[in-house]
């Protein structure tokens, strides 16, 4: 297998599966981040941390922002 996933990745994912079950492995790229990343590098910026926010946190923040906007 060639590409972003290798045999070890698939074996690791398979270890957590119950018998007679299946899984899908998904790989994606946040294409929008290319220009932002390049602009930061061009400006001499350095990445200090990279974290993902859980969906629930993003959803709660979105709902709060919509609520606040409706008050205005």
């Amino acid at each position: 297998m060639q590409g972003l996933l290798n045999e070890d990745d698939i074996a690791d994912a398979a270890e957590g599966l119950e018998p007679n079950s299946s899984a899908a492995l998904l790989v994606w790229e946040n294409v929008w981040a290319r220009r932002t990343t390049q602009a930061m590098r061009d400006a001499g910026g350095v990445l200090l941390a990279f974290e993902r926010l859980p969906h629930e946190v993003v959803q709660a923040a979105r709902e709060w922002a919509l609520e606040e906007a409706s008050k205005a």
Side-chain angles (χ1 to χ4, degrees), residues 7-36:
E7 293 295 327
D8 291 336
D9 297 323
I10 294 170
D12 288 344
E15 284 179 22
L17 292 176
E18 295 291 328
N20 298 314
S21 64
S22 60
L25 301 178
L26 174 67
V27 176
W28 77 91
E29 176 184 7
N30 291 323
V31 177
W32 63 267
R34 285 186 200 159
R35 288 185 184 166
T36 303

Side-chain angles (χ1 to χ4, degrees), residues 35-67:
R35 288 185 184 166
T36 303
T37 302
Q38 191 60 53
M40 287 188 290
R41 288 180 181 149
D42 291 347
V46 177
L47 178 64
L48 296 178
F50 177 81
E51 298 197 28
R52 297 186 53 92
L53 297 173
H55 173 74
E56 296 79 21
V57 171
V58 174
Q59 190 62 31
R62 180 181 179 276
E63 289 172 8
W64 176 84
L66 290 172
E67 205 173 290

